[in-house]
Amino acid sequence: MAKVKGDIIVDIERCKGCEVCIDACPTHTIAMSEDVNGKGYHYMQNVHDACTGCTNCAIVCPDGVITVYRVKI
Amino acid sequence: MAKELRLMKGNEAVAEAAIRAGCDGYFGYPITPQSEVMEYLMAEKPHERTGMVVLQAESELASINMVYGGACCGKKVMTSSSSPGISLMQEGISYLAGAELPCLVVNVVRGGPGLGTIQPSQSDYFQATKGGGHGDYKLITLAPSSVQEMYDFVKVAFDLAFKYRNPAMILSDGAIGQMMEKVVLEDQIPRLTEAEIIKKCPWATTGKTPDRERNIITSLDLDPARQERHNLKLQEKYKKITENEVRYETIDCENAEYIFVAYGTSARICLKALQLAKEKGIKVGLFRPITLFPFPVNQIKEMAGKIKGILSIEMSAGQMIEDIKLAVEGKIKVEHYGKMGGIIPSPNEVLEALEQKIIGG
Amino acid sequence: MAETLTKQDIIKDENIVYKKTGLMTDKVLSYCPGCGHGTTHRLVMEVIDELGAQANTIGIAPVGCSVLAYEFMDIDMQEAAHGRAPALATAIKRLMPDKLVFTYQGDGDLAAIGTGETIHAANRGENITIIFVNNGIYGMTGGQMAPTTLPGMKSSTSPYGRDIKTMGYPLKITELIARLPGTYFVTRQAVHTPANVRKAKKAIRKAFDLQKQNKGLTFVEIVSNCNSGWKMTPVKANQWMVDNMFPFYPLGDIKVDGELVK
């Protein structure tokens, strides 16, 4: 069975912490940070290892702060 | 080769001039007494003659904003209307001035305020020369006094509008719009190609190509310092226009003791009044501002040192007189004579007013 | 194998499956957190990017929250007076028929002050695309009642809720537009979930494709949230939108290939 593994890079300083991406993630691999960015927003981050690179979080992000990577295993 | 000569209405002359000046688009809405502009254009099928677009909009608001859209693209675009319609356009004209867009607005003035009358008037002088809409801005304002000038000033206005990236207005009136006179027509000037527009108007929104940054046309800047800089730049431009573009005509002013200052239809009436005055031995000349902005301040100022008084003849309660008084700086007497409500004063009334208000006053 | 794959192995340019389109500028969006405007901007720019139409597109920004849209879209743009964007677009398209021309407007701009320009541009069948973001409120000026504010919905000028007896009914302008013979494709979409984003993008792509075929006016409404105006968190605002806005403004195509489908 073909498996995929994904990851994301978040432009932390541009994240406004709206959390719209959180529900969009099918594998619950993203969560809001404890820390805040330069504007005082908690930012989204990849906290588990379950990312499949589905792009859901990125396409629903109003500020376009997420870049998604995916490799086939 | 002999020039083409045609008998035309003032409004028709504007329309024919637009086609021959290489105008790209006309956007208008019917209103008396200028509806012949669009009627003539529609009948002429300029799309077949030059590719010019003519569109009847749903309102003057839409017309002036179509002009804005076209002007942003570096196109030679225009509209025409009459006083109430021009009032409705003021928001758009302010945006055009703020965004520094060239265009032509023709106002065939009728009497106001409100719906007023469909008869000729000159009561939109303040609106045309002092801004009209909100903000500190000026329109280049040309005042024709013949059908020939209705024709000629279309090209002049477009040239000035593009030279300064500023809206230009032809401030006519219902009499000149409706009257018929012979007109010498100029040869067709071809419309600019897209490549020519890009070269002439590198600021225009013609599509962002890889060789340049994107072009944005806006009158908005929320940064106070930048917005002030923009305003100062506009003021600098108006100063340059004032220094370089004043146009006027003088008749019998050399040895005159008194001067009529009048533009448009009023200036035509004054021509007859000059004859009547001569018969009575009164030394009076006519000073006719052709540009109302820029107003011929220096010329009137200089003249004021040599004469005894000025009578401003306007088909209004007296609007231009304020500019004359500013120019004269209190040195001599300046009075106004005019009619309102769509009435054109008679030459006899004008001369009587001179005798009573200036000579005998 | 899976166990040995490190972050460094994945984060490589050749493995990128999604990144923000280059047609969005680097400027930080001026919108509130979670606002659908950002997503909608991006979708329009993704479509223009995919069409390879940057050099051939002219956009028009409205007055409202998206007044600064030209700061974020890397294309030639004009900023219109409040409500007048369709008039600008009309002239641009008539004067340069080969360009792709679109307006980007909010509900106050398009359905209140600009109703005349919207309806007449649509009725003339102008070959333009209108992107209409409807969040039922005037966001930029501080959350006042909009033509699209729902009955009973609170805003700063309907603080006790919109009373239809005194304040009138919300205007379903998209349905109105769809009935005009000059429109060819009219649809209502949303951008709050990945599935909706994908559908909205397809609709925007279709609208521009049809514009290229000179089919007439294409109109894409995006029902969006206004967390600040609605005074909710972004996630709650999206849920409120699903529960309250969608029943009144149902998603889906309204007119396809010039025929009403709803």
Side-chain angles (χ1 to χ4, degrees):
Chain A
M1 196 175 85
K3 276 190 171 179
V4 289
K5 180 122 186 72
D7 206 341
I8 56 171
I9 295 283
V10 181
D11 189 344
I12 289 168
E13 288 307 314
R14 299 169 73 100
C15 176
K16 293 175 182 163
C18 73
E19 304 186 18
V20 170
C21 57
I22 304 293
D23 276 355
C25 177
T27 57
H28 308 292
T29 188
I30 53 175
M32 300 309 290
S33 66
E34 292 289 322
D35 296 342
V36 292
N37 65 15
K39 292 212 167 89
Y41 292 121
H42 297 285
Y43 48 88
M44 71 85 83
Q45 57 186 3
N46 197 355
V47 290
H48 298 306
D49 203 18
C51 180
T52 61
C54 75
T55 75
N56 273 8
C57 57
I59 66 168
V60 87
C61 171
D63 290 277
V65 306
I66 305 161
T67 304
V68 185
Y69 299 80
R70 183 166 60 208
V71 287
K72 276 189 185 148
I73 303 166
Chain B
M1 204 178 90
K3 287 279 183 193
E4 199 180 337
L5 201 63
R6 211 182 283 178
L7 183 68
M8 304 182 92
K9 271 191 172 191
N11 291 335
E12 294 169 346
V14 164
E16 181 61 31
I19 300 171
R20 293 194 185 218
C23 179
D24 295 301
Y26 171 95
F27 306 92
Y29 185 80
I31 184 170
T32 308
Q34 65 77 54
S35 295
E36 294 86 356
V37 178
M38 188 163 41
E39 287 171 356
Y40 183 95
L41 284 171
M42 287 293 188
E44 273 300 308
K45 297 185 183 169
H47 193 73
E48 289 175 12
R49 277 176 63 179
T50 65
M52 176 184 174
V53 170
V54 183
L55 183 63
Q56 179 168 338
E58 65 271 27
S59 68
E60 286 92 349
L61 283 182
S63 313
I64 195 68
N65 284 286
M66 288 173 183
V67 166
Y68 181 101
C72 288
C73 301
K75 296 283 184 179
K76 212 181 250 192
V77 284
M78 68 178 290
T79 186
S80 65
S81 188
S82 180
S83 309
I86 298 287
S87 291
L88 208 47
M89 290 184 187
Q90 290 304 326
E91 179 204 38
I93 294 173
S94 171
Y95 274 66
L96 282 151
E100 294 196 83
L101 294 170
C103 71
L104 169 60
V105 179
V106 179
N107 184 0
V108 183
V109 180
R110 57 189 252 187
L115 203 47
T117 170
I118 57 170
Q119 304 297 332
S121 176
Q122 295 182 315
S123 49
D124 295 355
Y125 177 91
F126 283 149
Q127 189 193 51
T129 62
K130 309 298 177 196
H134 60 284
D136 279 318
Y137 74 90
K138 298 282 190 186
L139 304 179
I140 298 164
T141 309
L142 294 157
S145 75
S146 66
V147 177
Q148 183 70 54
E149 283 189 341
M150 284 287 262
Y151 180 92
D152 294 340
F153 288 0
V154 169
K155 182 176 181 301
V156 173
F158 270 130
D159 288 348
L160 289 172
F162 275 89
K163 182 175 175 187
Y164 292 100
R165 269 191 74 177
N166 204 70
M169 175 173 275
I170 292 180
L171 190 74
S172 180
D173 63 62
I176 293 166
Q178 293 295 327
M179 74 168 59
M180 294 190 84
E181 286 185 315
K182 67 179 184 217
V183 185
V184 180
L185 303 180
E186 296 295 322
D187 294 338
Q188 177 69 48
I189 298 169
R191 289 176 52 237
L192 296 185
T193 62
E194 189 170 328
E196 287 167 334
I197 287 173
I198 289 168
K199 202 168 168 212
K200 185 181 172 190
C201 308
W203 46 265
T205 54
T206 48
K208 188 214 168 297
T209 43
D211 57 329
R212 65 159 169 86
E213 293 295 303
R214 70 191 189 283
N215 282 338
I216 296 163
I217 306 285
T218 181
S219 55
L220 175 73
D221 199 327
L222 296 169
D223 180 88
R226 276 205 312 261
Q227 184 59 264
E228 189 188 38
R229 271 202 302 281
H230 174 62
N231 266 276
L232 289 170
K233 184 182 155 214
L234 292 180
Q235 293 304 317
E236 195 53 42
K237 176 169 78 175
Y238 304 144
K239 195 170 156 237
K240 209 179 272 179
I241 294 171
T242 304
E243 285 164 3
N244 297 320
E245 305 300 344
V246 168
R247 287 168 161 78
Y248 60 94
E249 184 188 22
T250 56
I251 295 165
D252 296 345
C253 287
E254 297 75 29
N255 301 309
E257 292 180 347
Y258 308 99
I259 296 286
F260 293 128
V261 180
Y263 67 93
T265 291
S266 291
R268 297 173 70 101
I269 306 305
C270 287
L271 283 177
K272 182 66 184 174
L274 289 187
Q275 286 177 9
L276 298 176
K278 208 176 255 178
E279 287 163 16
K280 284 190 162 185
I282 300 169
K283 287 184 174 175
V284 58
L286 169 64
F287 185 95
R288 179 169 77 94
I290 291 172
T291 50
L292 302 181
F293 177 80
F295 192 70
V297 174
N298 292 335
Q299 291 75 9
I300 288 176
K301 186 179 177 179
E302 196 193 317
M303 212 169 54
K306 304 171 192 164
I307 57 169
K308 293 177 182 170
I310 290 177
L311 187 63
S312 178
I313 311 296
E314 305 172 65
M315 284 141 59
S316 72
Q319 299 188 7
M320 180 176 66
I321 187 173
E322 294 191 4
D323 285 335
I324 300 169
K325 281 183 171 173
L326 284 171
V328 164
E329 292 174 340
K331 282 192 212 114
I332 52 167
K333 192 165 192 183
V334 180
E335 291 288 342
H336 162 260
Y337 178 73
K339 301 288 271 181
M340 289 177 278
I343 300 170
I344 300 173
S346 75
N348 280 320
E349 288 168 341
V350 167
L351 184 57
E352 249 170 60
L354 179 74
E355 288 174 316
Q356 285 171 12
K357 293 187 167 195
I358 302 291
I359 301 173
Chain C
M1 170 81 187
E3 289 73 29
T4 60
L5 207 58
T6 65
K7 198 171 179 74
Q8 285 72 26
D9 295 325
I10 304 171
I11 308 286
K12 284 180 184 166
D13 277 358
E14 63 261 34
N15 296 333
I16 290 177
V17 286
Y18 187 88
K19 72 178 226 185
K20 192 180 74 173
T21 165
L23 291 200
M24 286 295 286
T25 65
D26 289 332
K27 187 117 181 165
V28 174
L29 294 171
S30 53
Y31 302 108
C32 303
C35 175
H37 269 303
T39 315
T40 310
H41 277 29
R42 192 161 39 80
L43 295 185
V44 175
M45 286 303 97
E46 281 178 8
V47 166
I48 299 300
D49 199 2
E50 286 164 18
L51 288 169
Q54 184 188 30
N56 210 33
T57 302
I58 296 161
I60 299 151
V63 171
C65 285
S66 47
V67 66
L68 293 171
Y70 55 76
E71 298 260 332
F72 314 121
M73 300 181 181
D74 193 18
I75 54 168
D76 278 5
M77 286 195 80
Q78 308 179 1
E79 202 289 305
H82 200 16
R84 316 291 169 231
L88 274 63
T90 294
I92 301 165
K93 190 70 180 186
R94 296 277 183 134
L95 290 161
M96 299 196 287
D98 297 335
K99 304 288 176 192
L100 283 178
V101 180
F102 74 91
T103 69
Y104 187 103
Q105 302 175 260
D107 41 277
D109 192 87
L110 181 139
I113 196 166
T115 312
E117 285 75 8
T118 305
I119 287 189
H120 283 280
N123 201 44
R124 284 191 303 264
E126 301 294 344
N127 275 310
I128 58 171
T129 297
I130 292 180
I131 309 292
F132 168 43
V133 178
N134 173 13
N135 56 14
I137 206 159
Y138 284 85
M140 187 181 71
T141 44
Q144 293 83 11
M145 184 177 71
T148 46
T149 298
L150 298 175
M153 184 174 166
K154 285 181 182 170
S155 73
S156 64
T157 51
S158 58
Y160 308 108
R162 181 178 194 149
D163 173 12
I164 51 169
K165 277 192 190 133
T166 57
M167 297 164 176
Y169 294 89
L171 183 61
K172 291 188 181 180
I173 196 157
T174 306
E175 276 79 356
L176 204 63
I177 288 288
R179 304 198 86 84
L180 303 175
T183 57
Y184 192 77
F185 173 56
V186 179
T187 186
R188 181 182 285 127
Q189 303 291 335
V191 293
H192 62 303
T193 69
N196 286 101
V197 169
R198 291 187 177 101
K199 274 190 214 161
K201 185 174 168 185
K202 265 187 201 151
I204 293 168
R205 171 69 191 244
K206 186 172 178 178
F208 279 101
D209 281 340
L210 291 167
Q211 184 185 153
K212 284 176 88 172
Q213 298 164 36
N214 295 321
K215 292 286 189 183
L217 191 128
T218 51
F219 191 97
V220 182
E221 173 181 344
I222 307 288
V223 181
S224 187
N225 55 2
C226 180
N227 337 305
S228 300
W230 298 355
K231 307 195 189 313
M232 298 172 198
T233 64
V235 171
K236 279 193 177 145
N238 280 342
Q239 191 55 49
W240 193 90
M241 176 174 72
V242 172
D243 296 341
N244 296 278
M245 295 284 278
F246 291 173
F248 198 86
Y249 300 112
L251 303 188
D253 292 343
I254 300 170
K255 191 177 199 179
V256 179
D257 297 339
E259 300 290 335
L260 287 171
V261 292
K262 215 183 243 178

